[in-house]
């Protein structure tokens, strides 16, 4: 959708006359409807594009059109930025959902016989606590998000909070959770709920490495937390490994 919106933004920027403008906004309205944009967005676009014509003054009409054009462009650019960010978030989520593939390829695949790395050496890499998980996630995210930061301490207004990983460009924190032998489901749930309240970022993503498989109903657990809470977008990914 962002390509379609970007194309219309360029068309509107090139408009110089009321006739051109009216034609482009008609096409825009029809396209937004056909592409399934929400009624709120479609209605706001129609509101931003409107200008009242003066049948006695062509110059006044052009000035009003240009003002409406600027208002419409500002709104469309805002939607485009939001769409791009949502796409970036979805890509990150998909990447982390496939994080186990990296672990399997690294530790279980037999290296070439000419490699100095052996399967025995690689299998020594274990995830045995939350800090191991945090370190590996930081390493795989660093090439994609060079600005990613680890163990970021900030003042929430009611006390200091420390996020495991933070990606400033996405206004997102990534919290890692690890289930050991003594971890209880109630405690894990309470930690997640507390983090949701404390963090102020727009996006909070939890990566749960459920080694002990204490989450018996994975689908319902994820469904319960994948939602918007107090204006914050909450996402959770649960990995229950077969090995490691």
């Amino acid at each position: 959708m962002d390509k379609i919106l970007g194309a219309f933004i360029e068309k509107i920027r090139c408009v110089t006359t009321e006739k051109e403008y009216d034609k482009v906004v008609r096409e825009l309205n029809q396209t937004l409807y056909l592409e399934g944009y929400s009624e709120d967005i479609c209605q706001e676009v129609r509101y931003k594009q409107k200008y009242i014509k003066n049948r006695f003054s062509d110059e006044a009409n052009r000035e009003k059109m240009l003002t409406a054009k600027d208002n419409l462009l500002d709104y469309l650019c805002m939607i485009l930025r939001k769409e791009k960010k949502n796409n970036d978030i979805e890509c990150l989520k998909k990447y982390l959902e496939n994080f186990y593939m990296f672990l399997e390829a690294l530790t279980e695949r037999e290296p070439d016989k000419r490699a100095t790395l052996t399967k025995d050496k690689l299998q020594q890499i274990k995830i045995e606590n939350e800090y191991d998980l945090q370190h590996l996630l930081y390493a795989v995210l660093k090439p994609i998000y060079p600005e990613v930061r680890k163990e970021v301490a900030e003042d929430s207004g009611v006390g200091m909070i420390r996020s495991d990983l933070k990606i400033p460009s996405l206004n997102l924190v990534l919290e890692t959770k690890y289930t050991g032998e003594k971890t209880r489901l109630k405690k894990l749930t309470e930690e997640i709920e507390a983090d949701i309240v404390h963090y102020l970022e727009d996006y909070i993503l939890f990566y749960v490495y459920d080694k002990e498989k204490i989450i018996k109903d994975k689908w319902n657990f994820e469904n319960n937390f994948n939602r918007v809470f107090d204006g914050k977008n909450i996402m959770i990914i649960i990995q229950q490994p077969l090995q490691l």
Side-chain angles (χ1 to χ4, degrees):
M1 285 188 178
D2 55 343
K3 291 183 179 179
I4 294 172
L5 210 54
F8 270 104
I9 287 172
E10 290 306 312
K11 281 185 181 180
I12 295 169
R13 280 180 177 154
C14 295
V15 163
T16 58
T17 68
E18 299 100 283
K19 185 177 180 180
E20 292 174 332
Y21 178 77
D22 294 343
K23 181 176 182 295
V24 171
V25 296
R26 281 196 301 270
E27 294 174 0
L28 172 64
N29 293 337
Q30 184 179 18
T31 301
L32 293 181
Y33 173 77
L34 293 175
E35 291 295 323
Y37 278 85
S38 71
E39 179 58 31
D40 288 343
I41 289 178
C42 292
Q43 186 175 342
E44 189 66 18
V45 166
R46 290 193 295 269
Y47 173 75
K48 296 289 186 183
Q49 71 192 221
K50 285 174 65 176
Y51 67 99
I52 300 175
K53 294 185 178 181
N54 185 335
R55 59 178 179 171
F56 300 109
S57 174
D58 291 339
E59 184 60 31
N61 285 337
R62 187 171 186 278
E63 289 179 3
K64 290 179 180 180
M65 180 274 290
L66 292 175
T67 299
K69 170 185 166 179
D70 290 340
N71 292 336
L72 179 59
L73 281 172
D74 288 343
Y75 183 66
L76 293 178
C77 287
M78 184 272 290
I79 297 174
L80 188 61
R81 287 193 298 270
K82 188 173 181 180
E83 282 189 354
K84 185 178 183 305
K85 189 169 187 178
N86 288 340
N87 289 340
D88 290 343
I89 296 292
E90 284 302 312
C91 287
L92 171 62
K93 188 178 178 183
K94 185 67 175 177
Y95 182 70
L96 291 176
E97 285 173 344
N98 293 330
F99 175 60
Y100 74 94
M101 293 183 179
F102 161 75
L103 297 177
E104 289 178 347
L106 178 67
T107 63
E108 297 178 20
R109 187 177 180 85
E110 189 78 46
D112 189 282
K113 61 183 180 180
R114 293 164 293 184
T116 58
L117 289 172
T118 64
K119 189 173 182 179
D120 288 341
K121 288 180 182 178
L122 291 171
Q123 286 185 336
Q124 292 177 25
I125 299 174
K126 303 284 186 182
I127 296 178
E128 297 183 340
N129 59 37
E130 191 171 297
Y131 298 99
D132 296 336
L133 176 60
Q134 185 185 120
H135 180 78
L136 286 168
L137 284 172
Y138 176 80
V140 298
L141 289 173
K142 188 67 175 176
I144 307 172
Y145 304 99
E147 80 277 19
V148 64
R149 298 166 62 195
K150 188 164 60 171
E151 294 284 337
V152 181
E154 295 175 300
D155 189 352
S156 68
V158 293
M160 295 300 294
I161 54 174
R162 186 183 298 275
S163 55
D164 292 339
L165 298 170
K166 182 174 182 178
I167 304 177
S169 63
L170 300 180
N171 197 18
L172 176 144
V173 293
L174 172 59
E175 281 298 295
T176 58
K177 302 294 179 185
Y178 171 90
T179 65
E181 293 181 1
K182 297 181 180 180
T183 307
R184 297 293 175 264
L185 183 60
K186 181 180 178 181
K187 183 176 184 296
L188 173 65
T189 303
E190 289 173 348
E191 286 181 1
I192 292 173
E193 290 173 344
D195 287 341
I196 289 173
V197 173
H198 291 154
Y199 291 119
L200 304 177
E201 281 74 15
D202 292 339
Y203 298 88
I204 305 172
L205 197 159
F206 295 94
Y207 192 96
V208 181
Y209 193 80
D210 186 18
K211 186 174 184 178
E212 298 299 321
K213 299 185 179 178
I214 66 172
I215 301 172
K216 302 306 180 185
D217 193 338
K218 179 181 172 182
W219 187 89
N220 274 328
F221 195 89
E222 288 180 332
N223 193 51
N224 179 61
F225 286 108
N226 281 317
R227 56 190 171 88
V228 176
F229 175 82
D230 195 23
K232 293 176 277 192
N233 297 271
I234 314 303
M235 298 166 286
I236 187 165
I237 297 169
I238 300 170
Q239 173 62 34
Q240 295 176 318
L242 296 176
Q243 299 187 39
L244 278 183

